Every structure is written in C-alpha cells, then in structure tokens.
Amino acid sequence: GTCTTEPCSCPISRDPSYYWGKMTLMTGEGIKCWACDRHPAPPGIPVTTSSPFCPEKANQCSLQACKCESPSATKRVLRTKE
C-alpha cells in the first residue's frame, strides 16, 4: 500500500456507513510510515440527554440537534440499527 513518512491525519467521512482510521506501517527499509484505512462504521447508539452537547463516548449519538462541547472536536453523522 501507499503510506507517508510524515505524521498525518485522516479525512472525516461524510458517509455514515464508514470512517477512516490511521494505520502505522513500516516501509521495506524499516522506516515508520502512516496510511488511512477505510472501516465500516458500527451502528450508533442513541442516548437521551438534556445537554445541548453531543455525546462524547464512541458510537453514542443524539437524536436531537447538538453541538460539540470541545472546539477541537468534530461532529459526524452516525446511523442507528433502526
């Protein structure tokens, strides 16, 4: 596969059926490198809360409009089993 020897970040998927995860690899010369790998997204688990902020736990989602509490966080769409 293709990888970069410079640390990088992976794109945020706008399609809720998958997400991009970073992999650490080694080149044939033994140099550490990174690549992004596409993974199927697990279903979101809806949680009910009165908070205006989105859930922060992995795979939890809100069925109402919410915003990220941390300015460095990124909101993404999840699909539930239903």
Side-chain angles (χ1 to χ4, degrees):
T2 304
C3 64
T4 177
T5 55
E6 295 295 319
C8 61
S9 60
C10 295
I12 296 169
S13 174
R14 295 196 182 276
D15 182 341
S17 65
Y18 69 89
Y19 70 95
W20 292 99
K22 188 170 15 176
M23 297 186 318
T24 303
L25 306 167
M26 296 293 257
T27 66
E29 295 81 31
I31 299 169
K32 192 183 227 181
C33 66
W34 293 268
C36 294
D37 191 30
R38 186 173 147 166
H39 300 276
I45 302 163
V47 293
T48 304
T49 178
S50 59
S51 172
F53 301 112
C54 300
E56 290 186 356
K57 288 189 178 180
N59 302 328
Q60 287 190 351
C61 59
S62 175
L63 297 177
Q64 62 194 27
C66 61
K67 59 184 177 182
C68 295
E69 187 169 11
S70 169
S72 63
T74 303
K75 186 164 76 169
R76 69 181 179 102
V77 175
L78 296 177
R79 286 190 181 161
T80 62
K81 281 186 178 181
E82 295 77 41

